[in-house]
């Protein structure tokens, strides 16, 4: 599963905890949570908290515009 962070401008401990909970929930099924296009602040947060190694990072956003497919608010339906 890829989490597109290309539009994220700020990430705090609450968002980090959400990422960690998603990773924990995905582990039993063997699903890997990847982070795509993190900004410098998010990357620094992951580095400072020692969690960067838990998430494979793709420097580019995933291909395609997922928001143009009926998810204008970014929430999949």
């Amino acid at each position: 599963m890829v989490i597109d962070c290309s539009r994220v401008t700020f990430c705090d401990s609450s968002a980090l905890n959400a990422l960690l909970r998603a990773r924990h929930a995905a582990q039993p099924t063997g699903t890997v949570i990847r982070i795509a296009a993190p900004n410098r602040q998010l990357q620094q947060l992951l580095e400072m908290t020692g969690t960067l190694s838990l998430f494979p990072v793709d420097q580019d956003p995933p291909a395609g515009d997922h928001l143009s497919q009926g998810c204008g608010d970014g929430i999949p339906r």
Side-chain angles (χ1 to χ4, degrees):
M1 174 181 289
V2 178
I3 299 176
D4 181 357
C5 296
S6 62
R7 297 182 185 194
V8 173
T9 58
F10 178 77
C11 185
D12 62 7
S13 61
S14 296
L16 177 59
N17 281 325
L19 289 171
L20 292 170
R21 283 192 306 273
R23 181 182 180 275
H24 181 74
Q27 280 184 314
T29 63
T31 302
V32 175
I33 305 290
R34 302 182 68 80
I35 296 177
N39 67 13
R40 185 72 188 133
Q41 187 268 329
L42 173 53
Q43 199 138 3
Q44 285 179 332
L45 176 65
L46 294 171
E47 289 170 2
M48 288 180 359
T49 58
T51 57
L52 182 60
S53 64
L54 301 177
F55 301 97
V57 175
D58 301 328
Q59 292 305 316
D60 297 316
D65 184 3
H66 302 289
L67 292 179
S68 66
Q69 299 174 359
C71 300
D73 58 1
I75 301 171
R77 305 276 188 256

